[in-house]
PDB file of all heavy atoms in Angstrom:
ATOM      1  N   HIS A  55      14.928  21.391  -8.562  1.00  0.00           N
ATOM      2  CA  HIS A  55      15.567  20.108  -8.258  1.00  0.00           C
ATOM      3  C   HIS A  55      16.521  20.263  -7.060  1.00  0.00           C
ATOM      4  O   HIS A  55      17.401  21.118  -7.068  1.00  0.00           O
ATOM      5  CB  HIS A  55      16.345  19.605  -9.478  1.00  0.00           C
ATOM      6  CG  HIS A  55      16.692  18.148  -9.390  1.00  0.00           C
ATOM      7  ND1 HIS A  55      17.517  17.663  -8.397  1.00  0.00           N
ATOM      8  CD2 HIS A  55      16.326  17.088 -10.143  1.00  0.00           C
ATOM      9  CE1 HIS A  55      17.644  16.352  -8.553  1.00  0.00           C
ATOM     10  NE2 HIS A  55      16.924  15.973  -9.604  1.00  0.00           N
ATOM     11  N   ASP A  78       6.880  21.449  -5.586  1.00  0.00           N
ATOM     12  CA  ASP A  78       5.423  21.435  -5.787  1.00  0.00           C
ATOM     13  C   ASP A  78       4.833  22.841  -5.755  1.00  0.00           C
ATOM     14  O   ASP A  78       3.878  23.135  -6.472  1.00  0.00           O
ATOM     15  CB  ASP A  78       4.732  20.522  -4.772  1.00  0.00           C
ATOM     16  CG  ASP A  78       5.131  20.801  -3.337  1.00  0.00           C
ATOM     17  OD1 ASP A  78       6.318  21.076  -3.093  1.00  0.00           O
ATOM     18  OD2 ASP A  78       4.254  20.742  -2.449  1.00  0.00           O
ATOM     19  N   LEU A  87       7.853  21.400 -16.119  1.00  0.00           N
ATOM     20  CA  LEU A  87       9.047  20.886 -16.795  1.00  0.00           C
ATOM     21  C   LEU A  87       8.699  19.573 -17.484  1.00  0.00           C
ATOM     22  O   LEU A  87       8.247  18.629 -16.845  1.00  0.00           O
ATOM     23  CB  LEU A  87      10.174  20.665 -15.767  1.00  0.00           C
ATOM     24  CG  LEU A  87      11.442  19.967 -16.272  1.00  0.00           C
ATOM     25  CD1 LEU A  87      12.174  20.820 -17.319  1.00  0.00           C
ATOM     26  CD2 LEU A  87      12.395  19.655 -15.108  1.00  0.00           C
ATOM     27  N   GLU A  93      10.200   9.566 -15.414  1.00  0.00           N
ATOM     28  CA  GLU A  93      10.263   8.423 -14.497  1.00  0.00           C
ATOM     29  C   GLU A  93       9.116   7.442 -14.757  1.00  0.00           C
ATOM     30  O   GLU A  93       8.015   7.845 -15.145  1.00  0.00           O
ATOM     31  CB  GLU A  93      10.152   8.921 -13.055  1.00  0.00           C
ATOM     32  CG  GLU A  93      11.362   9.690 -12.577  1.00  0.00           C
ATOM     33  CD  GLU A  93      12.532   8.766 -12.307  1.00  0.00           C
ATOM     34  OE1 GLU A  93      12.391   7.852 -11.483  1.00  0.00           O
ATOM     35  OE2 GLU A  93      13.595   8.958 -12.933  1.00  0.00           O
ATOM     36  N   SER A  96       5.234   2.586 -11.264  1.00  0.00           N
ATOM     37  CA  SER A  96       4.448   1.360 -11.374  1.00  0.00           C
ATOM     38  C   SER A  96       3.194   1.411 -10.498  1.00  0.00           C
ATOM     39  O   SER A  96       3.218   1.973  -9.405  1.00  0.00           O
ATOM     40  CB  SER A  96       5.319   0.172 -10.954  1.00  0.00           C
ATOM     41  OG  SER A  96       4.613  -1.015 -11.194  1.00  0.00           O
ATOM     42  N   GLY A  97       2.118   0.842 -11.009  1.00  0.00           N
ATOM     43  CA  GLY A  97       0.896   0.740 -10.201  1.00  0.00           C
ATOM     44  C   GLY A  97       0.035   1.994 -10.191  1.00  0.00           C
ATOM     45  O   GLY A  97      -1.019   2.000  -9.575  1.00  0.00           O
ATOM     46  N   PHE A 103      -2.965   9.466 -12.165  1.00  0.00           N
ATOM     47  CA  PHE A 103      -1.856  10.388 -11.967  1.00  0.00           C
ATOM     48  C   PHE A 103      -2.225  11.800 -12.426  1.00  0.00           C
ATOM     49  O   PHE A 103      -2.014  12.784 -11.708  1.00  0.00           O
ATOM     50  CB  PHE A 103      -0.629   9.880 -12.728  1.00  0.00           C
ATOM     51  CG  PHE A 103       0.474  10.884 -12.836  1.00  0.00           C
ATOM     52  CD1 PHE A 103       1.238  11.211 -11.728  1.00  0.00           C
ATOM     53  CD2 PHE A 103       0.738  11.516 -14.040  1.00  0.00           C
ATOM     54  CE1 PHE A 103       2.248  12.155 -11.824  1.00  0.00           C
ATOM     55  CE2 PHE A 103       1.747  12.456 -14.139  1.00  0.00           C
ATOM     56  CZ  PHE A 103       2.504  12.777 -13.032  1.00  0.00           C
ATOM     57  N   ALA A 110      -3.829  18.675  -7.457  1.00  0.00           N
ATOM     58  CA  ALA A 110      -2.727  19.199  -6.644  1.00  0.00           C
ATOM     59  C   ALA A 110      -2.329  20.600  -7.114  1.00  0.00           C
ATOM     60  O   ALA A 110      -2.131  21.504  -6.314  1.00  0.00           O
ATOM     61  CB  ALA A 110      -1.530  18.254  -6.705  1.00  0.00           C
ATOM     62  N   TYR A 142       0.074   1.971 -16.602  1.00  0.00           N
ATOM     63  CA  TYR A 142       0.865   2.550 -15.527  1.00  0.00           C
ATOM     64  C   TYR A 142       1.803   3.606 -16.098  1.00  0.00           C
ATOM     65  O   TYR A 142       2.378   3.416 -17.169  1.00  0.00           O
ATOM     66  CB  TYR A 142       1.665   1.460 -14.796  1.00  0.00           C
ATOM     67  CG  TYR A 142       0.816   0.467 -14.051  1.00  0.00           C
ATOM     68  CD1 TYR A 142       1.261  -0.820 -13.788  1.00  0.00           C
ATOM     69  CD2 TYR A 142      -0.462   0.823 -13.598  1.00  0.00           C
ATOM     70  CE1 TYR A 142       0.478  -1.736 -13.097  1.00  0.00           C
ATOM     71  CE2 TYR A 142      -1.250  -0.074 -12.905  1.00  0.00           C
ATOM     72  CZ  TYR A 142      -0.783  -1.362 -12.657  1.00  0.00           C
ATOM     73  OH  TYR A 142      -1.552  -2.251 -11.977  1.00  0.00           O
ATOM     74  N   ASN A 144       4.214   5.678 -17.661  1.00  0.00           N
ATOM     75  CA  ASN A 144       5.492   5.515 -18.369  1.00  0.00           C
ATOM     76  C   ASN A 144       6.062   4.091 -18.339  1.00  0.00           C
ATOM     77  O   ASN A 144       7.118   3.848 -18.924  1.00  0.00           O
ATOM     78  CB  ASN A 144       6.564   6.484 -17.828  1.00  0.00           C
ATOM     79  CG  ASN A 144       6.227   7.930 -18.136  1.00  0.00           C
ATOM     80  OD1 ASN A 144       5.672   8.232 -19.192  1.00  0.00           O
ATOM     81  ND2 ASN A 144       6.531   8.823 -17.213  1.00  0.00           N
ATOM     82  N   GLU A 156       4.427  13.404 -21.622  1.00  0.00           N
ATOM     83  CA  GLU A 156       4.838  14.656 -20.968  1.00  0.00           C
ATOM     84  C   GLU A 156       4.011  15.826 -21.493  1.00  0.00           C
ATOM     85  O   GLU A 156       3.560  16.681 -20.722  1.00  0.00           O
ATOM     86  CB  GLU A 156       6.334  14.928 -21.211  1.00  0.00           C
ATOM     87  CG  GLU A 156       7.278  13.956 -20.523  1.00  0.00           C
ATOM     88  CD  GLU A 156       7.240  14.067 -19.016  1.00  0.00           C
ATOM     89  OE1 GLU A 156       7.724  15.078 -18.474  1.00  0.00           O
ATOM     90  OE2 GLU A 156       6.700  13.138 -18.384  1.00  0.00           O
ATOM     91  N   GLN A 159       0.606  15.773 -20.152  1.00  0.00           N
ATOM     92  CA  GLN A 159       0.581  16.341 -18.799  1.00  0.00           C
ATOM     93  C   GLN A 159       0.562  17.860 -18.853  1.00  0.00           C
ATOM     94  O   GLN A 159      -0.179  18.520 -18.124  1.00  0.00           O
ATOM     95  CB  GLN A 159       1.806  15.863 -17.998  1.00  0.00           C
ATOM     96  CG  GLN A 159       1.755  14.380 -17.677  1.00  0.00           C
ATOM     97  CD  GLN A 159       3.037  13.896 -17.015  1.00  0.00           C
ATOM     98  OE1 GLN A 159       3.639  14.595 -16.229  1.00  0.00           O
ATOM     99  NE2 GLN A 159       3.450  12.687 -17.354  1.00  0.00           N
TER     100      GLN A 159
ATOM    101  N   GLU B 417      14.609  10.765  -7.893  1.00  0.00           N
ATOM    102  CA  GLU B 417      14.130  11.325  -9.155  1.00  0.00           C
ATOM    103  C   GLU B 417      12.621  11.139  -9.317  1.00  0.00           C
ATOM    104  O   GLU B 417      11.946  11.991  -9.889  1.00  0.00           O
ATOM    105  CB  GLU B 417      14.872  10.695 -10.350  1.00  0.00           C
ATOM    106  CG  GLU B 417      16.261  11.249 -10.596  1.00  0.00           C
ATOM    107  CD  GLU B 417      16.297  12.772 -10.834  1.00  0.00           C
ATOM    108  OE1 GLU B 417      15.451  13.293 -11.583  1.00  0.00           O
ATOM    109  OE2 GLU B 417      17.182  13.436 -10.252  1.00  0.00           O
ATOM    110  N   SER B 418      12.106  10.004  -8.816  1.00  0.00           N
ATOM    111  CA  SER B 418      10.660   9.761  -8.908  1.00  0.00           C
ATOM    112  C   SER B 418       9.902  10.774  -8.064  1.00  0.00           C
ATOM    113  O   SER B 418       8.844  11.267  -8.467  1.00  0.00           O
ATOM    114  CB  SER B 418      10.312   8.343  -8.438  1.00  0.00           C
ATOM    115  OG  SER B 418      10.870   7.388  -9.303  1.00  0.00           O
ATOM    116  N   PHE B 420      10.981  13.802  -7.244  1.00  0.00           N
ATOM    117  CA  PHE B 420      11.096  15.086  -7.945  1.00  0.00           C
ATOM    118  C   PHE B 420      10.077  15.169  -9.084  1.00  0.00           C
ATOM    119  O   PHE B 420       9.392  16.180  -9.265  1.00  0.00           O
ATOM    120  CB  PHE B 420      12.524  15.266  -8.482  1.00  0.00           C
ATOM    121  CG  PHE B 420      12.732  16.500  -9.302  1.00  0.00           C
ATOM    122  CD1 PHE B 420      12.491  17.764  -8.766  1.00  0.00           C
ATOM    123  CD2 PHE B 420      13.176  16.412 -10.618  1.00  0.00           C
ATOM    124  CE1 PHE B 420      12.682  18.913  -9.526  1.00  0.00           C
ATOM    125  CE2 PHE B 420      13.374  17.560 -11.384  1.00  0.00           C
ATOM    126  CZ  PHE B 420      13.119  18.813 -10.841  1.00  0.00           C
ATOM    127  N   TYR B 421       9.963  14.075  -9.810  1.00  0.00           N
ATOM    128  CA  TYR B 421       9.038  14.026 -10.947  1.00  0.00           C
ATOM    129  C   TYR B 421       7.600  14.302 -10.497  1.00  0.00           C
ATOM    130  O   TYR B 421       6.914  15.160 -11.049  1.00  0.00           O
ATOM    131  CB  TYR B 421       9.152  12.656 -11.615  1.00  0.00           C
ATOM    132  CG  TYR B 421       8.355  12.476 -12.888  1.00  0.00           C
ATOM    133  CD1 TYR B 421       8.528  13.335 -13.966  1.00  0.00           C
ATOM    134  CD2 TYR B 421       7.451  11.422 -13.032  1.00  0.00           C
ATOM    135  CE1 TYR B 421       7.822  13.157 -15.144  1.00  0.00           C
ATOM    136  CE2 TYR B 421       6.745  11.232 -14.206  1.00  0.00           C
ATOM    137  CZ  TYR B 421       6.929  12.108 -15.265  1.00  0.00           C
ATOM    138  OH  TYR B 421       6.228  11.926 -16.423  1.00  0.00           O
ATOM    139  N   LEU B 422       7.159  13.593  -9.466  1.00  0.00           N
ATOM    140  CA  LEU B 422       5.780  13.765  -9.008  1.00  0.00           C
ATOM    141  C   LEU B 422       5.575  15.138  -8.371  1.00  0.00           C
ATOM    142  O   LEU B 422       4.527  15.755  -8.539  1.00  0.00           O
ATOM    143  CB  LEU B 422       5.387  12.654  -8.028  1.00  0.00           C
ATOM    144  CG  LEU B 422       5.374  11.231  -8.595  1.00  0.00           C
ATOM    145  CD1 LEU B 422       4.752  10.270  -7.602  1.00  0.00           C
ATOM    146  CD2 LEU B 422       4.633  11.147  -9.920  1.00  0.00           C
ATOM    147  N   MET B 423       6.586  15.622  -7.662  1.00  0.00           N
ATOM    148  CA  MET B 423       6.455  16.957  -7.056  1.00  0.00           C
ATOM    149  C   MET B 423       6.363  18.045  -8.121  1.00  0.00           C
ATOM    150  O   MET B 423       5.673  19.041  -7.947  1.00  0.00           O
ATOM    151  CB  MET B 423       7.630  17.235  -6.114  1.00  0.00           C
ATOM    152  CG  MET B 423       7.553  16.462  -4.800  1.00  0.00           C
ATOM    153  SD  MET B 423       8.962  16.823  -3.714  1.00  0.00           S
ATOM    154  CE  MET B 423       8.472  18.437  -3.075  1.00  0.00           C
ATOM    155  N   ARG B 425       4.756  17.890 -10.544  1.00  0.00           N
ATOM    156  CA  ARG B 425       3.362  17.904 -11.011  1.00  0.00           C
ATOM    157  C   ARG B 425       2.419  18.337  -9.885  1.00  0.00           C
ATOM    158  O   ARG B 425       1.243  18.011  -9.872  1.00  0.00           O
ATOM    159  CB  ARG B 425       2.957  16.520 -11.542  1.00  0.00           C
ATOM    160  CG  ARG B 425       3.834  15.991 -12.670  1.00  0.00           C
ATOM    161  CD  ARG B 425       3.942  16.959 -13.860  1.00  0.00           C
ATOM    162  NE  ARG B 425       4.680  16.394 -14.988  1.00  0.00           N
ATOM    163  CZ  ARG B 425       5.818  16.899 -15.456  1.00  0.00           C
ATOM    164  NH1 ARG B 425       6.363  17.959 -14.894  1.00  0.00           N
ATOM    165  NH2 ARG B 425       6.407  16.349 -16.497  1.00  0.00           N
ATOM    166  N   GLY B 426       2.980  19.018  -8.901  1.00  0.00           N
ATOM    167  CA  GLY B 426       2.145  19.670  -7.881  1.00  0.00           C
ATOM    168  C   GLY B 426       1.960  18.907  -6.586  1.00  0.00           C
ATOM    169  O   GLY B 426       1.355  19.413  -5.652  1.00  0.00           O
ATOM    170  N   MET B 427       2.451  17.662  -6.521  1.00  0.00           N
ATOM    171  CA  MET B 427       2.249  16.903  -5.285  1.00  0.00           C
ATOM    172  C   MET B 427       3.322  17.250  -4.253  1.00  0.00           C
ATOM    173  O   MET B 427       4.477  17.467  -4.614  1.00  0.00           O
ATOM    174  CB  MET B 427       2.316  15.404  -5.581  1.00  0.00           C
ATOM    175  CG  MET B 427       1.073  14.890  -6.305  1.00  0.00           C
ATOM    176  SD  MET B 427       1.335  13.218  -6.895  1.00  0.00           S
ATOM    177  CE  MET B 427       1.003  13.458  -8.637  1.00  0.00           C
ATOM    178  N   SER B 428       2.928  17.259  -2.997  1.00  0.00           N
ATOM    179  CA  SER B 428       3.917  17.471  -1.941  1.00  0.00           C
ATOM    180  C   SER B 428       4.792  16.217  -1.853  1.00  0.00           C
ATOM    181  O   SER B 428       4.440  15.172  -2.401  1.00  0.00           O
ATOM    182  CB  SER B 428       3.218  17.698  -0.606  1.00  0.00           C
ATOM    183  OG  SER B 428       2.573  16.504  -0.204  1.00  0.00           O
ATOM    184  N   GLY B 439       1.071   2.721  -5.512  1.00  0.00           N
ATOM    185  CA  GLY B 439       1.335   2.033  -6.769  1.00  0.00           C
ATOM    186  C   GLY B 439       2.046   0.700  -6.533  1.00  0.00           C
ATOM    187  O   GLY B 439       1.752  -0.303  -7.159  1.00  0.00           O
ATOM    188  N   GLU B 442      -0.393  -1.829  -5.453  1.00  0.00           N
ATOM    189  CA  GLU B 442      -1.561  -1.927  -6.328  1.00  0.00           C
ATOM    190  C   GLU B 442      -1.932  -3.365  -6.689  1.00  0.00           C
ATOM    191  O   GLU B 442      -3.114  -3.701  -6.749  1.00  0.00           O
ATOM    192  CB  GLU B 442      -1.335  -1.078  -7.584  1.00  0.00           C
ATOM    193  CG  GLU B 442      -2.588  -0.585  -8.236  1.00  0.00           C
ATOM    194  CD  GLU B 442      -3.075  -1.477  -9.349  1.00  0.00           C
ATOM    195  OE1 GLU B 442      -2.380  -2.468  -9.714  1.00  0.00           O
ATOM    196  OE2 GLU B 442      -4.157  -1.199  -9.859  1.00  0.00           O
TER     197      GLU B 442
END
Side-chain angles (χ1 to χ4, degrees):
Chain A
H55 196 297
D78 51 321
L87 173 65
E93 290 286 302
S96 186
F103 168 72
Y142 294 154
N144 293 324
E156 292 293 289
Q159 291 174 37
Chain B
E417 281 302 316
S418 295
F420 176 59
Y421 185 56
L422 296 189
M423 286 180 77
R425 303 305 185 242
M427 286 169 237
S428 67
E442 206 266 355

